[in-house]
Amino acid sequence: MANHFPEIPELFWGLFRSGNRMAYIEALLRINEEYQYSNYYLSREICVQALTDCFAKQKVTLEQEETEDDFDLLEPLSTRILNWLLRTGWLKKVEDYGTMAVNIVIPDYAAVFVDAFAHLAGEDEDETQVYIQNIYGILFAFKNDPRSNISLLKTALVNTRRLNKTLQDMLHNMDKFFGSLLEQGSYGDLLQEHLEGYVEEIVQKKYHILKTSDNFYLYKADIKRWLSEMRQDPLWLEEVCRRNRQLRGVEVQGETVIGQLELIERGFDDIEHRIMNMDREHTRYIRATVTRMNYLLNKEDNMKGMVIRILNHLSETEGKKGQEGELEQLGRLMNLSLMTVVSDKSLYKKRRPKQNFMESLEAEEETRELSGEEVLRLNRVHSRYSRKQVESFILERMEDGCLEVGPDTVSSEEDFERLVLAYDSASRKDCPFRVQRQEAEMVDNGHYRYPRLVFEARLGQERGAVNDRLL
């Protein structure tokens, strides 16, 4: 392409700076499509008609270019675009004096960019399928056709490297789908992104072609077998060198042919490794998608989801002082000092020390379930209050021997802890009260969230006995 640089006019590069570049690129793709399927040169009238049909159902508004005057703005949309492409060198006029007509052609340097636009638009045939079939056909002809020479082998090597490059680009561009996972805030958006983005672009167009239809593996075994047979056949190598000397007049050594064959085989090994990496990335993406879907479905009810929300909230807070303030506020509402969370699914599980083989044969002790007192002792709350303080917290608030827990019952961390201890103490027979019923409704006073409990004085407990408890 370096030979074409002097031919490129200065205004040619203005397309990439123009605000109308998408309209110009779409027009070039439409003219290129008409250009490929026409047996004759394209006349100006055909180009204008093709652009008119292309933009007929679109609402396109063009900005005024620096090279346009007021008369250009009066032209129809298709004529205006065609004139600008001709003026900047993306298209070229060729005058045919025999027919007294002016034809429109695409210059060589512009055709390179138009092919790139078509590739970015996804209009070209899938390269992975074209390259593997090319390699298969070229090697078959090189091995069996008596008119072939070493130039076919070089072409097969070029196609092998192009296929490797295509797979590498596919592999490296899969990270954008991981980024899009975190951008989706709802389950529906994530599912739509997965089905219309990843499944449509990667699985059906690329990954499906490599794996499901077994395109690569359909040709790989034959190609590797041919490469091995050609390297190990000295008579065939001598015939190739002699044939190349007769047809091209160039002396080629057998070591050169063997070297080219080894490079192709090494390229196929690289292809297999890249496909294995694509398998691993595909598995990672599917696992990450399922995890993200579970989080979006259960983030309000799952403890791990709530912890993730807290960490995301802290990461969005700007400045060290702001984060410290948020941590201080969270510390007043939550107990963040313990390394473990006492639940059936703790966030941290202590790992057992390594044992030798003989110790591992010994029977392990069964872990028993912790009692309520042991759980409270682990939380270091039970020893902070006496039994009288816990019972008085309920008895002082009773009216006619009954207390219904409401939003105003708990106003501090001490009240919340004594309410929990009172609920545990109500199960004892000597406790002056009991929990009559426990409703599913939760109480949320803005600082604490707890069940709506109803405490009732036990039968046989007189008013005076309750007063004695308080004294």
Side-chain angles (χ1 to χ4, degrees):
M1 183 180 171
N3 296 332
H4 295 295
F5 273 110
E7 304 175 16
I8 303 178
E10 189 67 26
L11 297 176
F12 178 85
W13 310 104
L15 179 140
F16 301 101
R17 300 187 298 268
S18 172
N20 306 320
R21 55 182 171 272
M22 294 308 300
Y24 295 149
I25 291 174
E26 188 171 357
L28 286 169
L29 293 176
R30 182 67 183 87
I31 292 176
N32 183 59
E33 181 181 358
E34 194 74 23
Y35 191 73
Q36 292 178 355
Y37 295 102
S38 177
N39 294 329
Y40 305 96
Y41 289 108
L42 295 180
S43 64
R44 181 181 179 87
E45 290 74 17
I46 294 179
C47 292
V48 171
Q49 184 62 43
L51 296 181
T52 302
D53 297 339
C54 178
F55 295 104
K57 297 182 180 180
Q58 302 182 30
K59 187 177 181 181
V60 179
T61 303
L62 296 181
E63 301 177 4
Q64 183 177 2
E65 302 288 351
E66 296 179 356
T67 57
E68 290 182 324
D69 53 23
D70 296 337
F71 293 100
D72 293 325
L73 301 180
L74 300 177
E75 295 285 351
L77 176 67
S78 56
T79 304
R80 182 180 168 188
I81 292 177
L82 182 61
N83 291 339
W84 191 89
L85 294 175
L86 289 169
R87 189 183 305 118
T88 55
W90 281 90
L91 299 176
K92 185 173 65 172
K93 294 180 181 179
V94 176
E95 297 180 354
D96 187 354
Y97 296 101
T99 60
M100 300 301 293
V102 177
N103 300 313
I104 305 297
V105 300
I106 301 177
D108 293 338
Y109 56 83
V112 176
F113 290 92
V114 174
D115 290 341
F117 296 153
H119 179 74
L120 292 175
E123 298 179 358
D124 53 346
E125 187 177 359
D126 187 80
E127 294 182 352
T128 56
Q129 185 175 7
V130 174
Y131 290 147
I132 188 65
Q133 292 177 354
N134 286 349
I135 298 170
Y136 180 85
I138 291 171
L139 289 179
F140 181 82
F142 181 70
K143 183 176 184 298
N144 301 289
D145 192 350
R147 296 169 297 180
S148 62
N149 53 62
I150 198 174
S151 61
L152 285 179
L153 197 60
K154 294 180 179 179
T155 306
L157 179 59
V158 170
N159 279 272
T160 303
R161 290 173 175 172
R162 286 181 178 176
L163 180 56
N164 261 304
K165 181 63 168 58
T166 302
L167 295 177
Q168 182 178 357
D169 293 340
M170 290 168 55
L171 178 63
H172 291 173
N173 289 327
M174 288 180 70
D175 59 347
K176 67 179 181 181
F177 295 100
F178 286 95
S180 64
L181 285 178
L182 300 178
E183 296 176 0
Q184 309 305 322
S186 65
Y187 180 83
D189 294 339
L190 177 60
L191 190 60
Q192 182 179 5
E193 174 68 21
H194 173 71
L195 295 178
E196 297 182 1
Y198 183 78
V199 175
E200 182 71 20
E201 295 296 328
I202 296 297
V203 177
Q204 295 184 0
K205 292 185 178 180
K206 300 182 183 299
Y207 191 84
H208 176 83
I209 292 173
L210 290 174
K211 299 295 294 183
T212 309
S213 61
D214 288 334
N215 192 349
F216 172 76
Y217 295 100
L218 182 65
Y219 301 105
K220 183 199 74 170
D222 290 339
I223 291 177
K224 284 210 164 188
R225 177 169 54 82
W226 295 343
L227 294 174
S228 177
E229 291 176 356
M230 287 186 287
R231 285 201 321 269
Q232 299 175 6
D233 191 349
L235 297 179
W236 179 86
L237 291 173
E238 293 179 2
E239 176 64 21
V240 169
C241 297
R242 184 188 62 79
R243 186 191 313 159
N244 191 80
R245 185 168 55 253
Q246 290 180 351
L247 297 177
R248 301 182 62 194
V250 178
E251 187 71 26
V252 176
Q253 302 297 327
E255 292 78 4
T256 304
V257 179
I258 293 176
Q260 296 285 327
L261 295 173
E262 289 177 348
L263 289 177
I264 295 175
E265 187 171 12
R266 189 182 307 167
F268 268 75
D269 293 338
D270 294 338
I271 291 173
E272 289 190 83
H273 293 157
R274 285 186 169 88
I275 293 179
M276 291 175 58
N277 291 333
M278 288 187 64
D279 288 342
R280 185 171 62 253
E281 291 297 317
H282 175 71
T283 304
R284 283 182 55 202
Y285 175 81
I286 297 300
R287 188 183 297 116
T289 302
V290 174
T291 303
R292 181 66 175 172
M293 286 181 176
N294 291 333
Y295 168 70
L296 292 176
L297 286 175
N298 306 314
K299 63 181 179 180
E300 297 294 339
D301 303 326
N302 186 279
M303 180 182 297
K304 189 178 296 185
M306 298 298 293
V307 172
I308 293 176
R309 291 186 63 189
I310 292 175
L311 296 177
N312 290 336
H313 175 71
L314 292 175
S315 64
E316 295 173 357
T317 306
E318 298 181 357
K320 184 176 181 181
K321 294 183 178 180
Q323 291 183 352
E324 292 178 353
E326 293 292 334
L327 281 174
E328 184 178 354
Q329 185 176 1
L330 288 172
R332 290 196 297 266
L333 303 177
M334 300 179 62
N335 187 3
L336 303 177
S337 61
L338 297 179
M339 292 297 294
T340 60
V341 177
V342 180
S343 66
D344 57 342
K345 295 181 180 179
S346 58
L347 297 180
Y348 170 79
K349 294 183 178 179
K350 186 177 181 181
R351 297 179 60 183
R352 294 182 300 175
K354 293 183 178 179
Q355 299 178 348
N356 56 37
F357 179 73
M358 296 301 297
E359 292 177 350
S360 62
L361 297 178
E362 298 178 359
E364 297 182 358
E365 296 183 1
E366 296 184 358
T367 57
R368 62 183 182 86
E369 186 176 356
L370 298 179
S371 64
E373 293 183 359
E374 290 173 331
V375 172
L376 294 174
R377 191 178 301 112
L378 287 175
N379 285 332
R380 299 179 182 179
V381 175
H382 186 275
S383 60
R384 292 176 57 180
Y385 305 98
S386 64
R387 183 176 179 181
K388 183 177 181 180
Q389 289 175 320
V390 174
E391 293 176 352
S392 64
F393 174 76
I394 301 298
L395 298 176
E396 289 175 354
R397 291 166 171 76
M398 279 188 174
E399 295 181 2
D400 297 331
C402 182
L403 169 63
E404 182 178 355
V405 176
D408 56 346
T409 304
V410 176
S411 59
S412 63
E413 185 177 355
E414 291 77 9
D415 292 344
F416 181 76
E417 293 175 353
R418 284 192 286 180
L419 177 63
V420 175
L421 294 172
Y423 176 77
D424 178 69
S425 179
S427 61
R428 299 191 182 95
K429 294 183 179 180
D430 59 344
C431 184
F433 51 81
R434 65 181 179 182
V435 178
Q436 182 184 10
R437 67 181 187 274
Q438 180 179 1
E439 299 181 357
E441 181 183 358
M442 302 295 292
V443 179
D444 191 348
N445 60 5
H447 297 282
Y448 300 94
R449 193 166 181 262
Y450 44 87
R452 188 179 293 278
L453 305 173
V454 178
F455 293 90
E456 186 182 51
R458 289 183 181 272
L459 296 177
Q461 293 286 347
E462 301 294 338
R463 185 70 177 176
V466 172
N467 292 333
D468 293 341
R469 289 273 188 177
L470 294 176
L471 296 174

